Amino acid sequence: YNTQLPLFLQIFGSVLRLPCFSDTSIILFLNKKDLFQEKVQHSPISAHHPSYTGPDKDADAGMKFFGGMYGARFIECSPDGKDRLFVHYTCAVDTENMQKIYNSIKETLISSFLEEQNLY
């Protein structure tokens, strides 16, 4: 199978190990979920990722699997920061979904700032 996921996870880990990210929350966008949902109907996830044990045509389970791989890499590189990774599965052309994600991120950033200033 041909996948670039190991390379992407390696790069993600390298970025996380940079000192400037040691105490930083990370927002990870896994984009093009619409294309992924179409693709899994014709190409089994397990054929490309043998460690995947979920239903092959279940896009939600597949997205959780890939998000979990990034989550595991985050914990590996930042063991004390388990609550600082926020994964969003996006379709950039879905403006309603992007607005919800934007609002969620804005709320997260404001809450984080208020906590840092001991105001929350």
Side-chain angles (χ1 to χ4, degrees), residues 86-111:
F86 303 92
V87 180
H88 293 279
Y89 306 95
T90 63
C91 173
V93 296
D94 182 350
T95 55
E96 184 178 319
N97 183 45
M98 292 306 294
Q99 186 63 47
K100 288 179 187 175
I101 291 169
Y102 170 77
N103 290 339
S104 173
I105 291 167
K106 184 171 69 171
E107 184 178 312
T108 300
L109 292 173
I110 290 170
S111 294

Side-chain angles (χ1 to χ4, degrees), residues 20-64:
C20 60
F21 290 110
S22 64
D23 291 326
T24 304
S25 293
I26 302 291
I27 301 168
L28 175 65
F29 294 97
L30 297 177
N31 195 26
K32 300 191 180 203
K33 75 176 186 178
D34 55 328
L35 297 178
F36 180 73
Q37 290 166 332
E38 286 179 30
K39 189 167 186 159
V40 298
Q41 300 307 311
H42 308 288
S43 182
I45 299 168
S46 61
H48 305 282
H49 301 280
S51 61
Y52 176 74
T53 59
D56 275 325
K57 293 186 177 186
D58 186 337
D60 290 333
M63 287 187 287
K64 287 179 184 173

